[in-house]
Amino acid sequence: MKGLEKRLETLRTQMRERQIEGILITSIPNRTYLSRFTGTAGILLITLSKAFLVTDGRYMTQARQQSPDFQVEMHDGNEFERVAALCQQESVQILSFEEEHLTYAEYRILLHLCHETQLVPIKGFVEELRLIKDDQELQAHQRAMRIVDQVYEQMLEEIRPGNTEQEIAARIEFLMRKMGASGPSFATIVASGHRSSLPHGIASEKIIHHNEMITFDFGCFVDGYVSDLTRTFFLGKPDEKHSEIYGIVLEAQEKTLETMRPGMTGKEVDQIARDVIESYGYGDFFRHGTGHGIGLEIHEAPSLRLTSEEVLRPGMVVTVEPGIYLPNEFGVRIEDDVLITESGAIRLTKATKEFIAI
């Protein structure tokens, strides 16, 4: 069974178990996961026996090419009118919709049009299927990860004082595209000097100077799937405090990678890294969760943070990214993408974690 056929069959199995006659998919990542359609306009209607992709005239050829398992339907300006007609045609009495991805205005339109169909909200239905990556998804992830590994190594050779953070970010994004990425998976972070103490210090007009800590946090899309890599290095000669903080963060990250296992909750994984950092007295300066899931989106379940009860399972891909941020001084974060296996975790990003001084 091919990848998309298997996903649809798994979805329908879940639909039968929950007594769902039909489901309307309006989330773009969920639509892509189930159909591979990448156009900017389109929704899915899936029943226990048929699958429809409703789009406009611009995308009819693309939709048929990308989504051969779907019957492609063209609407004339109101996609929900076509959905309502299909529900009547297929005798769908109860239609589930994604409550987090349908606006109230869209719901009112659908409610008005679906006279003979009851609308029932569901949450996280497709997202649950997306938690476990299949071989095709892992291959796309790994291609995206190889690109960021290579870009980081090249940037270590190129970076010099005098460039702005924005110029460096532009170079990173150019190289990712040149190596085969379709684009960055989020706004590239280049944070130098005191700005490295900002966990999400998106590249600014600040000029990079000698004797500064620099953090890169960047990723790319390949075949719809993301990578997410963070590395911190020093431009010049670091002092003892720079080396100390880097060593603590690296110890916290490696301890987490060595210890995390399927069956652990997100908060248990988070506590591993947090315990290391707290043992050195820097707990107040670790101000975010230890990681998050990745896939078609840069932030997916499961979350690795203090409040997360989500359980790790084999086949999940997550980040592990502890950090210490000393306000107005500098910060350090080290992040890798990780595959959860039957016995532990495998690091998928391979870029060096040595504390490099250039």
Side-chain angles (χ1 to χ4, degrees), residues 63-310:
R64 290 180 178 128
Q65 289 174 346
Q66 292 182 325
S67 309
D69 296 321
F70 283 75
Q71 181 175 319
V72 180
E73 299 278 337
M74 185 172 72
H75 67 80
D76 296 322
N78 187 336
E79 56 196 348
F80 295 115
E81 285 184 352
R82 192 73 198 113
V83 168
L86 289 169
C87 285
Q88 185 174 15
Q89 171 188 305
E90 300 301 317
S91 300
V92 177
Q93 301 298 310
I94 301 176
L95 178 65
S96 296
F97 66 91
E98 299 177 295
E99 64 175 41
E100 295 181 303
H101 306 294
L102 191 75
T103 69
Y104 182 63
E106 291 170 335
Y107 169 76
R108 286 175 60 91
I109 293 170
L110 197 59
L111 187 65
H112 174 72
L113 293 170
C114 293
H115 306 292
E116 301 176 6
T117 302
Q118 180 185 352
L119 302 180
V120 177
I122 57 172
K123 181 178 180 180
F125 192 72
V126 180
E127 286 86 346
E128 175 67 23
L129 304 182
R130 287 168 49 195
L131 286 172
I132 308 302
K133 274 54 179 182
D134 60 30
D135 289 343
Q136 290 179 336
E137 291 176 290
L138 288 175
Q139 288 170 13
H141 269 308
Q142 288 174 307
R143 289 196 296 273
M145 292 165 192
R146 283 195 294 270
I147 288 173
V148 293
D149 286 341
Q150 292 168 13
V151 169
Y152 178 64
E153 298 296 336
Q154 184 160 338
M155 290 307 301
L156 290 177
E157 296 179 3
E158 294 186 9
I159 191 165
R160 295 294 182 272
N163 291 115
T164 67
E165 294 173 347
Q166 289 177 339
E167 288 170 339
I168 296 300
R171 178 63 175 164
I172 288 171
E173 292 176 11
F174 169 78
L175 288 173
M176 290 192 295
R177 289 182 183 273
K178 184 178 180 182
M179 293 179 185
S182 58
S185 49
F186 56 94
T188 298
I189 291 172
V190 177
S192 60
H194 66 90
R195 293 193 73 256
S196 65
S197 67
L198 303 174
H200 275 191
I202 292 173
S204 73
E205 294 180 353
K206 178 188 174 300
I207 294 174
I208 294 172
H209 297 289
H210 192 63
N211 284 333
E212 287 189 327
M213 194 76 95
I214 302 173
T215 294
F216 289 169
D217 185 349
F218 63 103
C220 65
F221 283 107
V222 171
D223 291 340
Y225 287 83
V226 309
S227 55
D228 188 0
L229 178 76
T230 304
R231 290 292 186 267
T232 303
F233 60 97
F234 201 84
L235 193 58
K237 186 176 181 180
D239 61 25
E240 287 186 10
K241 190 171 186 181
H242 294 122
S243 299
E244 175 200 11
I245 298 301
Y246 190 94
I248 294 169
V249 174
L250 181 59
E251 180 182 339
Q253 203 235 17
E254 291 190 335
K255 179 70 171 178
T256 305
L257 293 173
E258 292 168 3
T259 309
M260 62 194 302
R261 295 285 187 277
M264 297 180 72
T265 62
K267 68 180 182 181
E268 288 173 332
V269 175
D270 179 89
Q271 197 64 57
I272 299 167
R274 205 163 297 278
D275 283 347
V276 173
I277 292 173
E278 288 177 349
S279 73
Y280 288 95
Y282 289 100
D284 290 342
F285 302 99
F286 179 18
R287 300 172 178 172
H288 55 72
T290 294
H292 54 84
I294 59 174
L296 288 164
E297 299 176 275
I298 195 62
H299 289 102
E300 298 187 355
S303 174
L304 309 182
R305 55 183 170 138
L306 279 174
T307 58
S308 175
E309 298 289 350
E310 295 166 304

Side-chain angles (χ1 to χ4, degrees), residues 40-59:
T40 59
I43 56 179
L44 307 181
L45 172 63
I46 300 172
T47 71
L48 294 174
S49 60
K50 293 185 180 180
F52 301 95
L53 194 168
V54 179
T55 188
D56 62 52
R58 297 172 297 169
Y59 293 111

